[in-house]
Amino acid sequence: MDGIESYWLWFAAGLLLSGLEMVVPGVYLIWLAMAALATGVIALIAGPALGIQVVAFISLALIFAFSAKRMLRDRPIISSDPLLNNRRGRLVGQTAVVTTPIDGGEGRVRVGDSEWIARGNDTPEGQRVLIIGSEGSILLVEPVAPLPIEHRS
């Protein structure tokens, strides 16, 4: 190549791919970026022909990608908050107010500022219910016994 050494192109490709990794969802361009940067180092040190550089890039990309896949399989990343993106899972254990009477096993409840379809025992409007689970986007509820009124003497 006239004017530009091939290792500069590999370094530029590696930096471009690592920049795209930050923009594009998923974690796959980083392995290509690492392969491009490693190929740039190989081209800088050894100066092989362009065909060998391309083969090195493809080989390194496959090695990095499959190594990362195996590493993550053997040591998965465990979230400190497994219900982070599971809104229905976070609702389990909370109380809700029936907005449309649960009649025939189905009605509507208000949780916070949103309404959900609910299934459970027949419950009149205005009564509090406990969320015990979910089926898809439908909450499973059961009536909450009212708190006894304490009589003071």
Side-chain angles (χ1 to χ4, degrees):
M1 286 184 233
D2 289 339
I4 298 178
E5 296 293 330
S6 62
Y7 58 85
W8 286 117
L9 296 175
W10 288 112
F11 290 146
L15 292 174
L16 177 69
L17 287 166
S18 61
L20 284 173
E21 175 66 35
M22 291 186 256
V23 177
V24 177
V27 181
Y28 58 91
L29 291 177
I30 193 67
W31 312 122
L32 297 176
M34 288 173 53
L37 292 172
T39 304
V41 170
I42 292 170
L44 177 65
I45 293 172
L50 185 60
I52 294 175
Q53 291 177 27
V54 171
V55 169
F57 170 72
I58 292 170
S59 301
L60 287 169
L62 291 172
I63 289 169
F64 289 149
F66 285 111
S67 296
K69 181 179 179 183
R70 183 174 182 172
M71 182 185 71
L72 289 173
R73 183 193 67 209
D74 295 342
R75 285 179 249 121
I77 299 170
I78 299 171
S79 173
S80 62
D81 188 1
L83 297 176
L84 178 64
N85 292 320
N86 183 352
R87 185 164 182 213
R88 292 181 320 270
R90 286 185 173 272
L91 293 176
V92 173
Q94 292 187 22
T95 57
V97 177
V98 177
T99 56
T100 302
I102 300 176
D103 188 28
E106 195 166 296
R108 294 187 69 82
V109 296
R110 177 174 296 282
V111 182
D113 62 350
S114 59
E115 280 197 17
W116 295 73
I117 297 172
R119 284 194 186 136
N121 299 332
D122 291 352
T123 309
E125 183 178 346
Q127 182 160 348
R128 291 174 18 143
V129 291
L130 177 67
I131 301 168
I132 58 172
S134 65
E135 289 178 353
S137 63
I138 299 172
L139 298 179
L140 304 175
V141 297
E142 62 183 23
V144 174
L147 297 173
I149 297 174
E150 295 181 20
H151 297 288
R152 293 187 181 184
S153 308

